[in-house]
Amino acid sequence: MADITHPDGQDSEGNGTTRRDFLYLTTAAVGAVGTAAFAWPFIDSMNPAADTLALSSIDVDLSPIAVGQSITVSWRGKPVFVRHRTAGEVQAAEEAPEGDMIDPEPDDARVINPEWLIVVGVCTHLGCIPLGQKPTDQRGEYGGWFCPCHGSHYDTSGRIRKGPAPLNLPVPEYEFLSDTQIRIG
Amino acid sequence: MGHGLANSSFKNPVIRWMDQRLPLFTLMHKEYAAYPTPRNFNYFWNFGALAMVVLMVMIVTGIFLSMHYTAHVDYAFDSVERIMRDVNYGWLMRYLHMNGASMFFIVVYIHIFRGLYYGSYKQPRELLWILGVIILFLMMATAFMGYVLPWGQMSFWGATVITNLFSAVPVFGDQIVMWLWGGFSVDNPTLNRFFSLHYLLPFVIIGVVFLHVAALHITGSNNPLGIDPKGPQDTLPFHPYYTIKDTFGLGVFLIFFSLFVFFAPNYLGHPDNYIPADPLVTPAHIVPEWYFLPFYAILRAVPDKLLGVVLMFGSIAVLFILPWLDTSKVRSARFRPIYKIFFWVFVFVCLMLGYCGAKPAEGIYVVLSRLGTVYYFAHFLILLPLLGKLERPLPLPTSISEPVLPRGGGAITAGATAKPMDKA
Ligand code: HEM
Ligand code: FES
């Protein structure tokens, strides 16, 4: 016993640390790691489950969409906007000065074929669905989309130009299977 | 803590037998009957007891609603409609629960503003106050998740906007939101976990309320004068004096509650929530329940996403440090002529923020929200610290009973040094 506990808190070499301090610390460390290891399965169980992650990709037929028209398709529970842009819209998107953009990005980095703009239709502010898909909808000051929740304006490239949203509407992964067929995801 | 039996002053042999082994009766008697209470309470001291009653109403109605509710995106909306139309007294249970949430916030907000006016958060009641702010946070989380359960349009889009607040967190934002959702959007996993937590949190609230009351019974209650009781002439036993006052207040409150439940059950709600949730269409104008409106106005007042979220949470979190922001030693606003004015300005600003939160975020409403937000924080962070130093308080009465008892209760000088609260 005398070897292990020293009333003055000194070990046999006269250092301020004792074997007991070491035991306390290692026990606490093991306890902390153990608790974290035990908590992780509970926390992780709340992340998307395997079947939720395994959502398949979708194919969209573009042929019925006339110039100037938009359709909304549902992908991973979210709307995806597919817009067949007019020449004017493409031009506006390409010529917009990046200097006054909130999240500067050139239009050609956001499209594969400039006629077709494909973006996830979820406002990057707090997740509302912006207006602008229906011909009667308000499209905001930049002719793209307008989010009514807190007033974000998106341009014809789906870029945020005015309002509280910080980022452009994201472009999902997609490929052209043919001239009139795309696969999203 | 000895061995053997506890002392009990109860005469009934059965009660005495139990009390000696588990002194619940002695505890209840001490905390709810004999508990010495300042004699000068006004009706603002009813609201703690009212909050307790509403919490019980919420739990009872909630348990019975859960027996008929189905937490699944395909059935939730219909199961609530079934509760309303087919379940015996289902309409009553749901309207009590729905309006009970609003009543809970009315009562608790009055309870909080009472504390702000009479300085109830000051030394030695800081921890008591902090526990109260924790209860407020838990109530907000509970009410928010409850509102999602009927799975109407407002449920869905409210949940979407509020969970997306966490996407403002730098770096991990998107992971956190996915974790909250259990998917890529608000969907069935979200509804299920919200139901689970909505059932759980009220019981956590009970636990914190217990601590809140335990802390109260250590320091004793504050009172409209904000001075400590100086002796027995300043206090009354809780029972029957305040049990009867609370019961009367409860009667009045239940009439108010019933007016909503029976005559205007949907007045405080939003009609869009009777449209089933549609993940592809956002309603043109989304607003939260009325009790969140001032905070919603603060969120929208700020053009930057992260800062808006920080200020919104900060507007409640600032209450945690309020006991240290207010530098005045005088508790009650009755003796603080300048604080009193700013208190009412602050109440007005909170109401104005609430009004702006209900309006679309454009034009004059944005301007007013911004002004209101600045004032809200300035009240806590600038005015209160300065006022304590600059303001000249009115003279305090020497005791609670002095203004009411002939010759002034303060005359009993022996009592002036003994603090009965410490013995309680
Ligand atoms: C702190 C106390 C509570 C608050 C503030 C609260 C709040 C709410 C709110 C605002 C709603 C939405 C009402 C509507 O618009 O339909 C709701 C629904 C619901 N709550 Fe609670 N609740 C509380 C306690 C409980 C408890 C303890 C349970 C279960 C034991 C429960 C079970 C339910 C159920 C099943 C619903 C869905 C049915 C419905 O929408 O009416 N609640 N709650
Ligand atoms: S969610 Fe679109 S502007 Fe806030």
Side-chain angles (χ1 to χ4, degrees), chain B residues 191-327:
Chain B
L191 178 60
N192 272 296
R193 62 189 59 185
F194 278 17
F195 182 46
S196 168
L197 295 173
H198 183 69
Y199 207 132
L200 169 71
L201 285 189
F203 295 91
V204 177
I205 293 179
I206 292 194
V208 185
V209 167
F210 179 82
L211 298 178
H212 187 72
V213 174
L216 171 71
H217 284 218
I218 297 293
T219 61
S221 304
N222 188 26
N223 63 77
L225 293 176
I227 57 177
D228 293 328
K230 301 270 161 45
Q233 73 281 6
D234 286 347
T235 63
L236 296 169
F238 193 78
H239 181 73
Y241 295 97
Y242 286 116
T243 41
I244 199 67
K245 189 163 182 156
D246 280 346
T247 309
F248 175 73
L250 178 63
V252 175
F253 167 72
L254 289 181
I255 293 172
F256 177 74
F257 189 175
S258 305
L259 288 178
F260 281 98
V261 171
F262 296 105
F263 296 100
N266 289 303
Y267 179 75
L268 297 167
H270 202 288
D272 277 32
N273 221 27
Y274 285 103
I275 303 170
D278 180 351
L280 296 186
V281 181
T282 310
H285 188 123
I286 57 168
V287 277
E289 292 285 87
W290 70 265
Y291 36 82
F292 293 133
L293 288 174
F295 309 105
Y296 194 57
I298 292 177
L299 170 76
R300 296 193 307 182
V302 189
D304 179 81
K305 176 167 160 179
L306 177 61
L307 193 63
V309 174
V310 168
L311 286 192
M312 186 182 79
F313 284 109
S315 63
I316 306 172
V318 72
L319 293 173
F320 279 122
I321 52 168
L322 170 62
W324 296 276
L325 291 174
D326 186 345
T327 49

Side-chain angles (χ1 to χ4, degrees), chain B residues 58-59 62-63 66 94 97-98 101 104 146 149-150 195 198-199 202:
Chain B
M58 295 310 284
I59 290 183
I63 289 174
S66 309
R94 173 154 186 260
H97 198 78
M98 222 168 104
F104 205 3
L149 302 184
F195 182 46
H198 183 69
Y199 207 132

Side-chain angles (χ1 to χ4, degrees), chain A residues 123 125-128 147 149-152 164:
Chain A
C123 181
H125 181 227
L126 297 174
C128 291
C147 181
C149 286
H150 317 94
S152 289

Side-chain angles (χ1 to χ4, degrees), chain A residues 68-90:
Chain A
Q69 247 187 357
S70 293
I71 64 159
T72 307
V73 295
S74 176
W75 174 67
R76 289 184 163 184
K78 291 178 188 174
V80 171
F81 295 161
V82 180
R83 185 180 277 193
H84 195 171
R85 300 194 290 187
T86 63
E89 285 173 339
V90 174

Side-chain angles (χ1 to χ4, degrees), chain B residues 162-185:
Chain B
I162 301 298
T163 48
N164 263 307
L165 292 178
F166 293 91
S167 68
V169 174
V171 188
F172 301 107
D174 289 336
Q175 266 108 313
I176 295 177
V177 174
M178 285 240 281
W179 178 73
L180 290 173
W181 288 338
F184 301 105
S185 59

